[in-house]
Amino acid sequence: MNVHNCFAEFFEDEIIRPYAYFVSKRLSEGHICFDLNIPISEEDKSGSGYESFIPNVAELRTSDLVTTLETERLPFVLRGSNLYLKRYYNYESAIIEKIDMLIASENRTINERIEFLENAGQVELIKNLNAGIGPHMVNDAPELKMDWQLMGAINSFIHNFSIITGGPGTGKTTTVAKILALLYAQNPNLKVAMAAPTGKASARMIESLELNRGLALYGIEDQVKKLKPFTIHRLLGYIHNSPYFKHNQNNYLDYDVVIVDEASMIDVALFSKLLSAINPEKRVIFLGDKNQLSSVEAGSLFGDLCNALEPINQSTAGRLELINSFIADTEASITNNYVSENTGGLLFQHIVELKKSHRFSECPHIALLGKSIIEGNEESVVEYINEQHQEVTIDSEYKRSVLKNFARNYFDYLTETDIKEALELLNRQKVLCAVRETEQGVFHINNEIEKILQEESDLIIDDEFYINRPILVTKNDRELGLWNGDIGIIRKDDDGKKHAYFIKEKSDEGCGNELRKVLPGYITQCETVFAMTIHKSQGSEYDKVLVILPDQERNKLLTRELFYTGVTRAKQSVIVQGGSEILKLATRKQVARASGLTKRIQ
């Protein structure tokens, strides 16, 4: 008997048992609810004990354990065709209610904020914000020339709730710099929190921001240097062995603005708890890529919110006139095609999609492949099998020589004596796998790379923590200052003693970019990381990437979001191993997580 059967058997009501089973199963698969309108596959029913089960809403309504009212304290909630566990329905409701509160609150100050922007003293600053947009290509489509970054900055200044979405290299960090320039111009002592789901992602956000060339132009270098990154859990005040946090609806965070990166990785429970801790009089800004993988736990909140507004980037004529008044380059002005007077939607003007990627200007085929994947264009993806491009190669035969040649990229870090430089060389390339098991999985591929490096280099594997072993930390350890996702290497110190060395990224405790060393025996959970899963790579970027897809066509993990995320981790070149049918399947199949958020917001 599996965990879903155990949950179902907990209820004496025989009517509810099959529904409870599939609610539990759907939650384990990342869905917020069980959509009764979606047929249950024979594969899902197999071994459940409910092989003949067919959902019936009328039957379900007769159960004393199901309610259609938000106020009733019963374990299941039925809303339309969606059956929820009460707790997850409450999470979804709390998110909608808090967004509504934030937007209602901003309406009381919106005119004052617009007047501030129109003040003569701010016009020059705002026009300077255009300096970071970057050059246009001759063949750029008109919408790629439009200054969506400025739209994102102005709307985020005006509103209390904002979402900025965009693919790799579209300028989300640059847009944050512009937002901060406006906010600090209004209040130099503004209290800003920068957060992300993981410690690595939060540190990377701050470091990217500090490298932004616009900070000096905007005069906010000093303020940005004082910013400290948080994981969302640490920001909210994690309570040991508790699902609750110190900051909540009764104890708001003491920040004027909370900026959250990699928001697509946040599950429904954490999203709800984060929003509940935001004072509705303050601002919260979510950044992410709506096309990337969703959270590991239940929910695809960021994507659901973005999908609640269609089309994105529409504005009233008045708002568009305000934005365009600050754009000197007429080619960068937002055209009237984006004017809409259909302003009834809750999130209207609160979501901005950045459209032009600057990362792939010299490697356009990575961008084109990513675009074909996310648009579901199977034929365009498969065409790369027969084409040869310096930055995109597809190996449909899973040749070992391809893995062997890619593994040679690791030679540089093995021979580099400076540990910090060795770590940087290690992280310039990565093999990304869709799965952990099978011949195309992380475990097997790591073993294969170890064999290749033993054959062709001085790598010697003589114990678990061998010299030069690259390790990926898989569990947070606050005492050691290590976080899930941190990557290090094993080297000997001057006394000949082995240590695991990590680059100490900037944290909420101090400066970063220094080496941290830890005795390997203290690291309780880690794994070799010549190869890692695509899920673990989310939010990272590498010069060279080898994406290995499983050769089984029935693999449930293969989706276009997974494929897109893997391909777009590459900055300079990407190799994909996968047969034509696997490529088509990975391009065709989408993540479809059941939730009621999009419809309820609409």
Side-chain angles (χ1 to χ4, degrees):
M1 182 179 290
N2 61 35
V3 66
H4 313 305
N5 286 116
C6 291
F7 179 70
E9 292 297 318
F10 174 79
F11 300 99
E12 294 182 2
D13 183 347
E14 292 190 6
I15 291 175
I16 202 65
R17 282 180 178 174
Y19 295 95
Y21 175 91
F22 286 104
V23 165
S24 176
K25 191 171 192 303
R26 292 293 183 260
L27 278 172
S28 72
E29 295 166 345
H31 303 273
I32 295 176
C33 56
F34 172 30
D35 188 340
L36 306 180
N37 283 341
I38 298 177
I40 306 170
S41 69
E42 294 304 314
E43 185 181 357
D44 273 356
K45 288 184 180 181
S46 177
S48 67
Y50 304 106
E51 283 79 5
S52 61
F53 171 63
I54 299 174
N56 184 313
V57 172
E59 173 192 56
L60 187 60
R61 288 177 183 272
T62 66
S63 172
D64 292 336
L65 299 175
V66 179
T67 181
T68 57
L69 303 174
E70 295 189 23
T71 53
E72 278 194 281
R73 296 175 64 87
L74 291 175
F76 298 95
V77 177
L78 180 64
R79 186 181 177 98
S81 65
N82 289 336
L83 181 66
Y84 298 80
L85 282 181
K86 176 68 171 176
R87 178 156 59 101
Y88 285 86
Y89 182 78
N90 288 346
Y91 287 146
E92 192 176 90
S93 297
I95 289 167
I96 297 168
E97 289 166 11
K98 191 50 174 282
I99 292 173
D100 195 27
M101 288 173 64
L102 285 158
I103 292 174
S105 178
E106 82 191 17
N107 287 334
R108 295 191 287 272
T109 60
I110 198 164
N111 290 333
E112 178 185 333
R113 291 174 181 177
I114 290 173
E115 285 175 12
F116 174 82
L117 295 176
E118 292 176 326
N119 184 287
Q122 309 311 322
V123 171
E124 195 61 34
L125 168 64
I126 299 172
K127 287 187 175 180
N128 281 339
L129 300 184
N130 295 300
I133 194 171
H136 300 304
M137 304 297 287
V138 174
N139 60 347
D140 275 349
E143 69 170 10
L144 297 183
K145 297 179 181 179
M146 297 179 199
D147 198 344
W148 303 114
Q149 292 182 10
L150 189 66
M151 173 184 273
I154 289 176
N155 282 351
S156 297
F157 176 84
I158 289 171
H159 297 146
N160 283 0
F161 178 84
S162 302
I163 287 176
I164 296 172
T165 181
T170 50
K172 295 185 287 292
T173 302
T174 300
T175 304
V176 169
K178 296 176 181 184
I179 294 167
L180 291 174
L182 295 175
L183 292 170
Y184 283 132
Q186 185 184 41
N187 179 6
N189 299 313
L190 198 75
K191 298 180 73 173
V192 179
M194 308 288 284
T198 67
K200 195 168 186 66
S202 62
R204 189 164 48 244
M205 173 173 56
I206 288 287
E207 288 171 357
S208 297
L209 186 59
E210 289 179 342
L211 292 172
N212 191 278
R213 290 175 293 179
L215 300 184
L217 181 65
Y218 313 151
I220 59 171
E221 284 179 301
D222 291 341
Q223 287 105 321
V224 168
K225 285 179 181 177
K226 294 176 184 177
L227 295 178
K228 296 176 182 177
F230 293 90
T231 62
I232 296 173
H233 285 78
R234 181 153 173 76
L235 177 69
L236 294 177
Y238 175 71
I239 300 174
H240 187 61
N241 289 332
S242 170
Y244 304 107
F245 294 97
K246 294 175 183 176
H247 293 285
N248 51 44
Q249 66 271 22
N250 300 315
N251 181 27
Y252 290 140
L253 289 164
D254 186 24
Y255 289 96
D256 301 301
V257 183
V258 176
I259 300 174
V260 185
D261 198 13
E262 298 295 347
S264 64
M265 298 168 67
I266 309 174
D267 62 74
V268 64
L270 188 57
F271 210 105
S272 173
K273 291 170 184 178
L274 173 60
L275 277 179
S276 72
I278 305 291
N279 185 329
E281 303 292 329
K282 308 298 184 181
R283 293 177 175 92
V284 61
I285 302 164
F286 290 97
L287 312 168
D289 183 347
K290 64 184 177 67
N291 295 318
Q292 272 193 189
L293 284 164
S294 303
S295 61
V296 175
E297 303 296 331
S300 52
L301 274 297
F302 190 76
D304 289 346
L305 289 169
C306 291
N307 291 334
L309 187 64
E310 185 62 38
I312 294 177
N313 289 5
Q314 299 286 303
S315 293
T316 63
R319 179 67 60 82
L320 213 57
E321 183 180 355
L322 173 70
I323 294 167
N324 284 334
S325 70
F326 300 114
I327 301 176
D329 180 1
T330 54
E331 276 195 326
S333 296
I334 316 297
T335 66
N336 288 333
N337 295 339
Y338 291 90
V339 170
S340 173
E341 297 304 328
N342 183 19
T343 62
L346 178 65
L347 295 177
F348 179 70
Q349 297 187 135
H350 289 75
I351 305 175
V352 174
E353 181 176 12
L354 308 179
K355 296 178 177 289
K356 180 178 173 62
S357 176
H358 303 279
R359 178 188 296 181
F360 302 123
S361 58
E362 296 180 4
C363 306
H365 284 284
I366 297 177
L368 289 171
L369 177 58
K371 186 173 186 287
S372 296
I373 293 167
I374 216 63
E375 290 177 352
N377 191 335
E378 299 171 35
E379 297 308 316
S380 291
V381 171
V382 172
E383 282 177 6
Y384 277 96
I385 292 176
N386 301 315
E387 296 180 10
Q388 293 295 323
H389 299 286
Q390 187 175 356
E391 70 258 32
V392 174
T393 304
I394 292 184
D395 165 30
S396 60
E397 300 174 9
Y398 295 94
K399 297 173 186 171
R400 192 173 190 272
S401 60
V402 171
L403 179 62
K404 198 168 187 177
N405 287 332
F406 193 87
R408 289 172 180 147
N409 290 311
Y410 289 114
F411 286 175
D412 289 344
Y413 102 86
L414 293 172
T415 57
E416 175 58 57
T417 56
D418 183 280
I419 298 175
K420 187 175 171 184
E421 180 63 24
L423 277 164
E424 291 173 355
L425 289 170
L426 170 68
N427 290 317
R428 286 183 185 173
Q429 60 281 310
K430 197 66 64 187
V431 179
L432 303 179
C433 302
V435 296
R436 298 181 70 79
E437 309 292 342
T438 79
E439 285 191 10
Q440 292 80 39
V442 165
F443 299 129
H444 180 77
I445 296 300
N446 271 315
N447 287 335
E448 286 297 299
I449 294 174
E450 285 180 329
K451 290 177 185 176
I452 293 166
L453 295 179
Q454 284 186 96
E455 292 167 2
E456 300 198 9
S457 74
D458 294 331
L459 185 70
I460 298 173
I461 299 179
D462 51 5
D463 65 14
E464 179 185 1
F465 291 105
Y466 58 83
I467 299 299
N468 276 320
R469 181 191 175 194
I471 60 171
L472 173 73
V473 176
T474 56
K475 183 180 180 181
N476 291 341
D477 190 325
R478 178 156 181 77
E479 288 187 14
L480 295 179
L482 297 178
W483 309 102
N484 187 354
D486 283 352
I487 290 177
I489 56 174
I490 305 299
R491 288 280 177 95
K492 287 184 178 179
D493 63 13
D494 294 338
D495 296 325
K497 196 169 187 178
K498 285 183 184 179
H499 286 86
Y501 287 88
F502 301 85
I503 292 180
K504 182 181 177 184
E505 295 174 331
K506 184 172 180 179
S507 70
D508 55 342
E509 295 177 341
C511 297
N513 212 24
E514 301 170 354
L515 280 177
R516 175 195 298 276
K517 67 177 184 177
V518 178
L519 288 170
Y522 289 159
I523 303 173
T524 56
Q525 294 189 31
C526 67
E527 58 190 47
T528 303
V529 71
F530 292 112
M532 67 195 303
T533 62
I534 295 173
H535 274 89
K536 285 284 188 183
S537 76
Q538 199 164 350
S540 300
E541 58 185 39
Y542 312 95
D543 291 346
K544 300 175 182 179
V545 167
L546 169 59
V547 176
I548 303 179
L549 302 178
D551 61 2
Q552 316 100 314
E553 292 185 26
R554 295 182 65 193
N555 193 289
K556 285 186 175 182
L557 288 175
L558 277 183
T559 64
R560 70 175 59 164
E561 291 83 2
L562 185 83
F563 191 11
Y564 166 84
T565 300
V567 166
T568 55
R569 297 312 89 204
K571 294 191 291 183
Q572 296 177 7
S573 67
V574 60
I575 303 169
V576 179
Q577 286 192 313
S580 60
E581 292 307 310
I582 294 297
L583 296 174
K584 288 179 181 179
L585 174 65
T587 305
R588 180 189 321 128
K589 187 180 173 185
Q590 285 184 274
V591 171
R593 290 187 167 182
S595 91
L597 190 70
T598 297
K599 287 184 179 179
R600 292 176 69 184
I601 285 182
Q602 289 173 336

